[in-house]
Amino acid sequence: MIQLLAPTHWKDYELIDCGDFEKLERFGSVTLIRPEPQAVWKKTYSEQDWKKTANIIFRGRSATSGEWVKKNQSIPDRWHVEYKNDEVAIKLRLGLTSFKHVGVFPEQAVNWDCISSSIKKFKTPQPKVLNLFAYTGAASLIANAAGAETTHVDSIKQVVTWANENQELSGLKDTRWMVEDALKFVKKELKRGKKYNGIILDPPAYGHGPNGEKWKLEDHIQEMMQDVVQLLDEKEHFLILNTYSLGFSSVIVENLIRTSFPAVKNLETGELYLQATSGIKLPLGVFGKFCNV
């Protein structure tokens, strides 16, 4: 049964409307207009409403970069938001980057809830969690706050530094930071005989490792999955695979997991989306996850 899941209780985030390849969204007290390639339909609210509501608009200069235009120059380039559920709370530093991102993917809050609840169910005193393609670390910090010994792996030093800032902001410590190619790191951990109770993967469609290693989702995800499942603790474990690629469906994710880990139990697959205040749904990737406790 394919599921459709969306965050439901994040007070510091709101998708207001989306359409015409843009989205209008609020992070804390700051409201942005950003490009959104999935929003191929018409906007629900008027252009006037959008411009009246937004504090900052992203203007693209190329396919990969652009600039932010502020209504008021007193609006900061950096600000903080909080996320909390029944088990944990974290704080995140957001910022205006030249490639339209602000440092968090809000739809992932669904997976954060799964991470914290899974860790809280484990009998292992301090379960080990591995976060691959970990970006600015929200999932890592959720795992840390829930009581896990957490390893955070990303190939870009600047975003790992950003993740460390988020750790300090959240009043946490002792996350293991690794600036490394994810696939190479997994193979090293296999040779070391390491095991993890939780593994989180949120791979990009395309990417590069710190030494120029090339990552292409459809070319490398099967190898990654076959290696990753060997790192799972046999007794207590969870795994979350999230993909944001226009060519990937939840059926593909299901097949990847089942062929890589035939013994899988409690497998759930589906699509993540954000529910806009205007009533429209914005799809933002597919997931597969399972938990054995």
Side-chain angles (χ1 to χ4, degrees):
M1 189 73 179
I2 294 173
Q3 301 181 24
L4 294 176
L5 301 179
T8 56
H9 57 267
W10 192 356
K11 294 181 180 179
D12 269 1
Y13 178 77
E14 177 189 8
L15 177 64
I16 300 168
D17 192 19
C18 54
D20 297 316
F21 302 101
E22 290 184 317
K23 54 189 171 185
L24 175 66
E25 54 192 341
R26 177 184 60 81
F27 293 89
S29 60
V30 179
T31 303
L32 311 170
I33 295 176
R34 295 193 288 167
E36 178 47 65
Q38 299 268 57
V40 299
W41 49 86
K42 288 181 65 175
K43 294 172 181 174
T44 301
Y45 296 155
S46 69
E47 286 287 349
Q48 284 183 327
D49 287 337
W50 276 54
K51 290 177 181 177
K52 183 179 178 181
T53 304
N55 304 120
I56 311 174
I57 301 172
F58 184 87
R59 301 294 189 197
R61 289 195 302 264
S62 70
T64 57
S65 67
E67 62 182 0
W68 297 92
V69 180
K70 299 179 182 179
K71 267 187 183 177
N72 187 326
Q73 291 306 310
S74 66
I75 299 169
D77 287 346
R78 297 183 176 190
W79 69 102
H80 300 155
V81 295
E82 182 182 46
Y83 181 79
K84 59 183 176 180
N85 58 30
D86 292 339
E87 287 107 6
V88 296
I90 61 170
K91 290 184 179 179
L92 303 170
R93 189 270 285 174
L94 303 188
L96 305 176
T97 72
S98 63
F99 43 95
K100 83 178 179 180
H101 297 304
V102 295
V104 68
F105 295 98
E107 72 281 357
Q108 291 302 311
V110 170
N111 290 331
W112 304 341
D113 292 348
C114 178
I115 292 164
S116 59
S117 64
S118 296
I119 291 169
K120 291 295 185 180
K121 290 174 186 174
F122 287 155
K123 295 176 182 177
T124 305
Q126 191 175 29
K128 292 180 169 61
V129 170
L130 173 62
N131 188 11
L132 300 165
F133 310 97
Y135 193 45
T136 57
S140 301
L141 301 183
I142 290 287
N144 182 318
E149 180 182 314
T150 307
T151 299
H152 173 113
V153 182
D154 198 279
S155 64
I156 301 173
K157 185 177 180 180
Q158 293 95 319
V159 298
V160 175
T161 300
W162 192 337
N164 194 21
E165 289 180 45
N166 287 335
Q167 176 177 251
E168 293 176 6
L169 190 64
S170 299
L172 299 169
K173 60 181 181 178
D174 296 334
T175 299
R176 180 189 180 202
W177 307 112
M178 302 298 298
V179 180
E180 194 163 353
D181 176 76
L183 189 54
K184 280 188 176 180
F185 180 82
V186 166
K187 291 184 182 299
K188 288 178 183 177
E189 292 291 85
L190 281 174
K191 288 182 180 178
R192 297 175 186 129
K194 294 293 181 68
K195 292 290 182 180
Y196 291 90
N197 300 97
I199 299 179
I200 306 153
L201 303 100
D202 190 9
Y206 302 96
H208 291 89
N211 297 313
E213 301 93 339
K214 290 184 179 179
W215 169 271
K216 189 175 181 182
L217 185 63
E218 57 266 37
D219 291 347
H220 297 104
I221 190 61
Q222 182 185 14
E223 181 183 2
M224 173 64 87
M225 289 302 300
Q226 289 176 336
D227 287 347
V228 154
V229 294
Q230 296 178 61
L231 293 175
L232 284 173
D233 180 86
E234 291 182 8
K235 293 181 180 179
E236 290 190 319
H237 60 248
F238 73 83
L239 183 143
I240 297 173
L241 170 63
N242 189 86
T243 68
Y244 180 84
S245 172
L246 294 177
F248 264 54
S249 71
S250 57
V251 175
I252 289 176
V253 169
E254 179 181 355
N255 291 341
L256 270 170
I257 293 173
R258 289 195 183 279
T259 55
S260 300
F261 194 41
V264 66
K265 296 178 181 177
N266 306 314
L267 177 61
E268 300 176 32
T269 61
E271 191 166 347
L272 299 182
Y273 72 94
L274 292 172
Q275 178 65 60
T277 306
S278 66
I280 204 80
K281 292 180 173 67
L282 176 63
L284 286 166
V286 297
F287 71 88
K289 61 183 178 181
F290 57 88
C291 184
N292 188 59
V293 294

